[in-house]
């Protein structure tokens, strides 16, 4: 479904702040063991982008879930949302083992896994970041993944804000 919509730009304004908050509330209400480790830095103000609510919700869920899966237990998983000019950036940072730089370019490939054994133990399909990439592209977003071995990973997606009438 995500690939089928890839070239159809969303035309409905949605509040990215509300999507992020709702996703965090759902994770905290679930049986996700590490949801208590979520630390948020989210503004009270709406951040309107042109979007598809269900797809953006899936994007946010996939990124935060990865941080919870691969971050170290009892360390903060930080979720931030920051507007700058005509763009807004969602950032999720974990304090996990990190990912070697040679793996970073391949993380958004379908079924690619850095560590097969670990992936089996924490679950997943190897599709999460591939889906994130497609959803980000459909929404004219820029996906950026930085990681440092032994320190953790930062995933950021920057979207254009919807034009505001003045």
């Amino acid at each position: 479904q995500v690939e089928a919509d890839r070239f159809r730009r969303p035309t409905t304004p949605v509040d990215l702040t509300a999507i992020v908050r709702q996703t965090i509330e759902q994770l905290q209400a679930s049986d996700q063991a590490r949801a208590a480790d979520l630390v948020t830095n989210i503004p009270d103000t709406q951040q309107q982008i042109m979007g598809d609510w269900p797809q953006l919700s899936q994007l946010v869920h996939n990124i935060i879930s990865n941080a919870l899966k691969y971050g170290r237990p009892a360390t903060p998983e930080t979720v931030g949302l920051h507007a700058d000019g005509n763009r807004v950036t969602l950032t999720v940072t974990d304090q996990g083992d990190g990912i070697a730089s040679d793996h970073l370019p391949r993380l958004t490939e379908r079924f690619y896994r850095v560590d097969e054994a670990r992936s089996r133990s924490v679950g997943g399909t190897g599709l999460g970041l591939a889906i994130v990439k497609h959803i980000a592209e459909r929404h004219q977003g820029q996906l950026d993944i930085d990681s440092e071995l032994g320190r953790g990973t930062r995933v950021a997606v920057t979207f254009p804000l919807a034009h505001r009438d003045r």
Side-chain angles (χ1 to χ4, degrees):
Q1 179 64 42
V2 172
E3 286 184 5
D5 289 338
R6 187 174 178 184
F7 298 107
R8 214 169 355 148
R9 296 278 179 241
T11 57
T12 306
V14 297
D15 178 14
L16 188 58
T17 303
I19 292 170
V20 172
R21 286 188 187 285
Q22 180 184 64
T23 303
I24 290 168
E25 288 169 8
Q26 288 171 345
L27 285 166
Q28 290 173 331
S30 74
D31 61 354
Q32 172 61 257
R34 298 217 41 239
D37 294 335
L38 288 171
V39 175
T40 60
N41 184 8
I42 301 167
D44 291 328
T45 57
Q46 290 188 7
Q47 302 299 322
Q48 295 279 333
I49 67 172
M50 300 307 273
D52 178 306
W53 186 292
Q55 284 189 357
L56 289 167
S57 181
Q58 183 175 16
L59 175 143
V60 173
H61 186 274
N62 286 3
I63 295 171
I64 295 173
S65 292
N66 273 358
L68 293 173
K69 274 187 214 173
Y70 297 109
R72 287 189 195 101
T75 63
E77 309 300 331
T78 306
V79 180
L81 196 60
H82 175 74
D84 185 18
N86 61 355
R87 302 186 70 72
V88 60
T89 303
L90 167 68
T91 306
V92 179
T93 307
D94 71 47
Q95 295 181 17
D97 294 335
I99 303 163
S101 60
D102 55 323
H103 291 287
L104 292 176
R106 299 195 60 201
L107 289 178
T108 58
E109 292 178 15
R110 284 187 210 135
F111 308 113
Y112 184 78
R113 293 171 179 228
V114 172
D115 179 347
E116 287 287 337
R118 183 159 186 230
S119 293
R120 275 192 294 278
S121 70
V122 297
T125 61
L127 290 173
L129 288 176
I131 291 169
V132 165
K133 179 183 175 188
H134 282 291
I135 294 171
E137 287 175 351
R138 177 173 185 229
H139 290 81
Q140 297 178 304
Q142 174 71 41
L143 174 63
D144 183 45
I145 304 171
D146 293 316
S147 191
E148 186 177 339
L149 285 175
R151 304 222 39 196
T153 303
R154 177 187 161 276
V155 177
V157 187
T158 302
F159 298 100
L161 286 165
H163 296 291
R164 295 186 172 117
D165 295 331
R166 301 214 181 238

